Amino acid sequence: MAKRVREEEIFPRNPNKTYGLMELVKGSSPRVDRGPEDMVSAWPHLLIREALLFAATFLVILALSVWCVPPLEKQADATKPPNPAKAPWYFLGLQELVSYDAFWGGLGIPGLVIVGLMAIPYLDRHHSGIGRWFARSRTTAVTLFTVLFVIPTIVLIILGTYFRGPNWGFYPPWGMPVEPQ
Amino acid sequence: MSVQTTEPKAGPPDPKPGIGAWGKLSRAIYRQAPEVFDNLRQLPYNLYKSIYRTTAFPKTERERSEAFFNSFLLHIQPAKIEKHALRFNYTFGLGLISFYLFLLLTVSGILLMFFYVPSVEQAYNRMLDLRSSVSYGMILRGMHFWSANCMIGAVFFHMCRVFYTGAYKPPREFNWVIGVLLFVLTLVLGFTGYLLPWDQLAFWAITVGANIAGKADYVSDHLAMIPGVPNMHMGVMMKNALLGGDTVGQEALIRFYVLHVALLPSILFFLIVIHFWRIRKDGGISSPKESPE
Ligand code: HEM
């Protein structure tokens, strides 16, 4: 049993200080060995960047909403199914998979992907390459993630969005049959 | 705006001698509560002080730290931050952009709620109203539409950033798990919102999506092959739970509406708060100082 220590033994009370004990943690803190020399105050360095980023985000969205009007088709009609009926663009990768196998494409694989994503940090715990883009010691992890997740996600969505036409047939975007209204 | 940030000195004590009732009153006040006149003079300063717990323009290091931990909105963030964490080409601001888009979605979404009615008869006409009779209606809808679509992209690329910089490694494993939940929730929020305009695009997209949920029958059909296990028709069950019926109709619309404007955004916000809290508890965002190359 570790000896119980009183708060005063770790942080002696000093009337000139305005801080108090916040919490006790086991092990070494992530801040250990990260001295104050590379630190700056959040005011104004962080705050100004956050404000600028918000302004930029807001302006881009405003510009898009002024110049690109969101689509609105005819009123819903359960008797007039379009061909093909497409899911929202972010689910077109799923719809593409569903066209190969209904269960595995729509539920099996997506379910495994979500569980797999959540499992990543519990499987890859090697303490290297943190805080650097594409660290050399992590080429295996980087390659696996890119080939198994990032590229398939993007390619399937592009395929479903631009290359699928009537009856979920494959057409190039420039040869897409136009649905008669 | 110029708010005095130092306490003004007390002025000359005597109020101007007035005549008539006003003069009498001010002399009476001066006799019994002379400080009232000073209070009036110091009103802007005292008002400011009562609202903000620090000065508006901190100059010393100490004041700058206080500006953060004495402010409700800023205390979520650290008063000191590592230079590396500020580099744009480390995070590309993608997490923060996701959060900002969530805020824009909340504001534009609440404004849209003033005009929208989740009924099969009215929903589509309300969308037409936005185009024709609501001031700035199309810009309002556009803000919501574009923020939603961009948020899905931002969250996806934020996830890629976190992976490619190894930022999910201990002690940040659980924040990655929360992140995956945020990613899924963002997609589901988009999906539930997609039905609300009640146009052809909406109706058939949700029909396609709900049919995918129906494919879970595959699991229960296989389970039912085990002797003694009844067929639970999991797919039909899930689809019915989602649509409140066999097809997309009024029941589906009200379900999607409640999920989209109340339940899912609340859960998403709650998870974002935990996400941010964990960033602080995990020692700020990741840094190359934490591990060898
Ligand atoms: C609604 C969605 C999300 C919001 C608003 C959000 C917000 C943020 C913010 C503001 C940061 C600070 C650093 C930065 O801006 O990059 C951050 C860091 C982080 N996020 Fe997210 N995030 C979201 C989704 C995700 C997802 C989908 C994942 C992963 C699956 C994730 C995992 C992480 C991790 C592990 C960190 C710590 C990164 C580090 O220490 O470098 N987040 N998040």
Side-chain angles (χ1 to χ4, degrees):
Chain A
M1 258 310 273
K3 186 168 122 346
R4 273 182 188 278
V5 283
R6 289 188 312 144
E7 185 184 326
E8 284 79 4
E9 290 174 30
I10 303 166
F11 290 112
R13 289 247 180 274
N14 179 344
N16 294 324
K17 300 277 167 64
T18 53
Y19 54 73
L21 179 61
M22 291 302 163
E23 66 170 350
L24 292 171
V25 287
K26 279 214 179 97
S28 61
S29 116
R31 288 237 68 86
V32 166
D33 295 332
R34 293 161 73 183
E37 58 281 355
D38 282 340
M39 311 282 276
V40 291
S41 17
W43 181 298
H45 302 281
L46 175 63
L47 218 51
I48 191 83
R49 282 166 174 81
E50 289 178 338
L52 286 175
L53 190 64
F54 181 77
T57 309
F58 183 78
L59 285 179
V60 168
I61 296 297
L62 190 63
L64 278 170
S65 22
V66 170
W67 282 301
C68 310
V69 174
L72 186 67
E73 294 192 354
K74 292 213 182 71
Q75 183 159 15
D77 186 345
T79 63
K80 291 205 187 88
N83 185 8
K86 285 193 177 185
W89 64 265
Y90 36 87
F91 284 149
L92 284 183
L94 287 189
Q95 200 177 347
E96 177 68 21
L97 289 176
V98 167
S99 70
Y100 306 124
D101 183 290
F103 169 74
W104 284 107
L107 294 165
I109 294 176
L112 290 177
V113 167
I114 292 169
V115 172
L117 283 174
M118 287 189 183
I120 288 175
Y122 299 95
L123 301 177
D124 171 24
R125 302 176 66 82
H126 193 255
H127 207 64
S128 68
I130 300 177
R132 301 167 186 84
W133 277 86
F134 309 116
R136 229 174 299 116
S137 59
R138 297 184 63 233
T139 37
T140 317
V142 165
T143 313
L144 283 176
F145 186 72
T146 312
V147 172
L148 293 179
F149 179 68
V150 180
I151 291 180
T153 305
I154 295 174
V155 168
L156 284 172
I157 287 179
I158 292 177
L159 207 61
T161 309
Y162 297 109
F163 291 86
R164 289 298 181 181
N167 305 316
W168 211 250
F170 183 90
Y171 300 90
W174 52 91
M176 186 66 67
V178 187
E179 197 191 347
Q181 286 301 312
Chain B
M1 204 189 75
S2 73
V3 172
Q4 259 177 291
T5 48
T6 50
E7 200 165 354
K9 294 277 173 306
D14 193 29
K16 289 183 189 66
I19 43 169
W22 170 243
K24 261 198 181 134
L25 181 64
S26 58
R27 275 191 297 277
I29 292 176
Y30 181 68
R31 234 178 291 121
Q32 300 207 316
E35 74 280 3
V36 165
F37 294 96
D38 281 340
N39 290 352
L40 282 176
R41 214 172 290 121
Q42 295 171 2
L43 185 65
Y45 171 79
N46 285 335
L47 205 55
Y48 178 89
K49 261 297 190 202
S50 71
I51 301 172
Y52 297 103
R53 304 185 62 229
T54 41
T55 77
F57 298 99
K59 289 184 190 65
T60 65
E61 281 295 296
R62 186 195 162 110
E63 281 175 352
R64 286 174 167 185
S65 301
E66 280 174 350
F68 268 72
F69 52 69
N70 280 337
S71 153
F72 176 71
L73 289 177
L74 296 183
H75 89 282
I76 297 157
Q77 300 169 316
K80 296 267 183 179
I81 185 162
E82 203 177 316
K83 275 187 201 147
H84 174 263
L86 292 175
R87 288 179 43 191
F88 185 68
N89 62 6
Y90 182 56
T91 64
F92 293 100
L94 285 163
L96 207 53
I97 290 174
S98 312
F99 179 61
Y100 286 157
L101 291 173
F102 176 74
L103 292 185
L104 289 180
L105 281 161
T106 309
V107 174
S108 58
I110 289 176
L111 291 176
L112 283 172
M113 282 175 75
F114 283 114
F115 303 105
Y116 181 80
V117 179
S119 110
V120 172
E121 284 85 29
Q122 287 201 48
Y124 184 73
N125 288 331
R126 293 290 175 147
M127 301 310 288
L128 294 180
D129 285 351
L130 280 181
R131 192 146 67 184
S132 56
S133 54
V134 176
S135 321
Y136 302 107
M138 275 331 271
I139 294 190
L140 186 57
R141 178 166 176 231
M143 296 280 286
H144 202 70
F145 176 89
W146 284 113
S147 303
N149 285 291
C150 293
M151 181 170 169
I152 291 168
V155 172
F156 177 79
F157 289 117
H158 170 59
M159 178 156 91
C160 295
R161 186 294 277 181
V162 170
F163 186 91
Y164 288 132
T165 56
Y168 56 82
K169 296 194 173 195
R172 299 189 178 81
E173 311 100 300
F174 193 62
N175 223 9
W176 168 273
V177 175
I178 293 174
V180 176
L181 293 177
L182 285 172
F183 179 52
V184 174
L185 261 174
T186 307
L187 291 177
V188 178
L189 257 167
F191 184 67
T192 51
Y194 210 85
L195 180 63
L196 304 185
W198 204 251
D199 63 346
Q200 280 288 76
L201 209 59
F203 184 89
W204 291 102
I206 303 309
T207 303
V208 169
N211 283 336
I212 294 180
K215 302 294 191 253
D217 271 350
Y218 179 92
V219 179
S220 43
D221 287 351
H222 279 73
L223 284 177
M225 288 176 191
I226 307 168
V229 178
N231 194 330
M232 289 171 287
H233 301 289
M234 279 163 67
V236 177
M237 242 167 59
M238 268 167 58
K239 193 177 154 181
N240 278 343
L242 196 64
L243 298 184
D246 298 334
T247 52
V248 179
Q250 178 62 59
E251 293 311 311
L253 183 55
I254 195 73
R255 279 178 197 211
F256 275 53
Y257 179 74
V258 172
L259 288 174
H260 185 76
V261 306
L263 190 59
L264 297 177
S266 311
I267 301 176
L268 189 71
F269 182 68
F270 180 65
L271 287 178
I272 289 177
V273 170
I274 300 183
H275 196 58
F276 289 177
W277 178 78
R278 272 307 294 243
I279 295 175
R280 290 296 303 279
K281 291 297 170 189
D282 293 338
I285 75 163
S286 50
S287 150
K289 286 189 191 164
E290 283 173 38
S291 81
E293 160 83 48

